[in-house]
């Protein structure tokens, strides 16, 4: 719900396949840990590593299930994910800029939606959004412009 009591105009969420893949990875790691622990030549380091990997994957899968919406926008502003599963509402008046950012690392270019409030820079990838950052940036700019027109602000 936006601050005017209506639903957000648009929501972007993690694709449902990601938590399933993470949960499956957690199961595989847990099986490796159990099988390794029960073997005659138990390798404690492998058991520990597989157990920690299983727990980590399960935590990240839980986050994607508990808080699948990482960004929403409406007349009142934006709501972005914050922390493990919390959210923060940002009125349009606090948004200084919405940009498409690019990061190069290891020969690969990653595009991100950058939402700058002056105090914080919120970065959202295609994984967070379930959509291409270029499309989301463009739509956020349209929503922001429409909200400014409805409120009478320039």
């Amino acid at each position: 719900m936006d601050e005017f009591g209506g639903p957000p105009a648009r929501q972007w969420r993690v694709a449902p396949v990601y938590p399933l893949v993470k949960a499956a990875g957690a199961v595989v790691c847990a099986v490796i840990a159990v099988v390794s622990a029960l073997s005659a030549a138990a390798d404690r380091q492998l058991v520990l590593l597989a157990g920690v990997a299983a727990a980590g994957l399960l935590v990240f899968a839980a986050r994607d299930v508990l808080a699948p919406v990482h960004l929403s926008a409406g007349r009142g502003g934006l709501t972005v994910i914050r922390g493990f599963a919390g959210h923060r509402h940002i009125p349009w008046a606090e948004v200084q800029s919405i940009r498409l950012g690019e990061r190069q690392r290891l020969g690969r270019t990653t595009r991100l939606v950058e939402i700058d409030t002056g105090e914080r820079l919120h970065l959202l990838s295609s994984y967070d959004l379930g959509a291409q950052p270029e499309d989301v940036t463009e739509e956020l700019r349209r929503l922001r412009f429409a909200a400014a027109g409805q409120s009478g602000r320039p």
Side-chain angles (χ1 to χ4, degrees):
M1 293 249 264
D2 70 7
E3 70 180 21
F4 297 102
R10 187 71 164 85
Q11 292 183 336
W12 291 273
R13 62 182 56 236
V14 173
V17 71
Y18 290 123
L20 293 174
V21 169
K22 290 174 188 176
V27 169
V28 168
C29 289
V31 168
I32 290 170
V34 169
V35 168
S36 187
L38 296 176
S39 73
D43 182 356
R44 290 180 142 181
Q45 290 177 340
L46 178 60
V47 172
L48 180 64
L49 180 63
V52 169
L57 285 168
L58 203 54
V59 165
F60 284 116
R63 178 189 189 209
D64 291 346
V65 170
L66 295 173
V69 177
H70 286 202
L71 174 66
S72 61
R75 292 187 322 172
L78 302 167
T79 302
V80 295
I81 193 158
R82 182 176 183 181
F84 181 76
H87 290 89
R88 176 176 181 238
H89 180 75
I90 306 167
W92 287 117
E94 291 180 20
V95 176
Q96 291 184 356
S97 67
I98 300 170
R99 299 184 292 273
L100 177 64
E102 288 189 0
R103 306 284 186 268
Q104 293 237 345
R105 185 171 180 185
L106 302 174
R108 183 176 171 180
T109 301
T110 302
R111 290 185 172 86
L112 303 166
V113 174
E114 296 181 356
I115 301 168
D116 188 357
T117 65
E119 293 177 18
R120 289 187 182 222
L121 181 63
H122 301 275
L123 303 172
L124 301 157
S125 68
S126 59
Y127 163 81
D128 295 306
L129 304 167
Q132 293 301 313
E134 300 89 348
D135 300 335
V136 175
T137 300
E138 187 177 310
E139 190 164 352
L140 286 174
R141 288 176 178 161
R142 278 196 309 267
L143 288 168
R144 183 180 185 197
F145 181 77
Q150 291 175 356
S151 70
R153 290 184 314 203

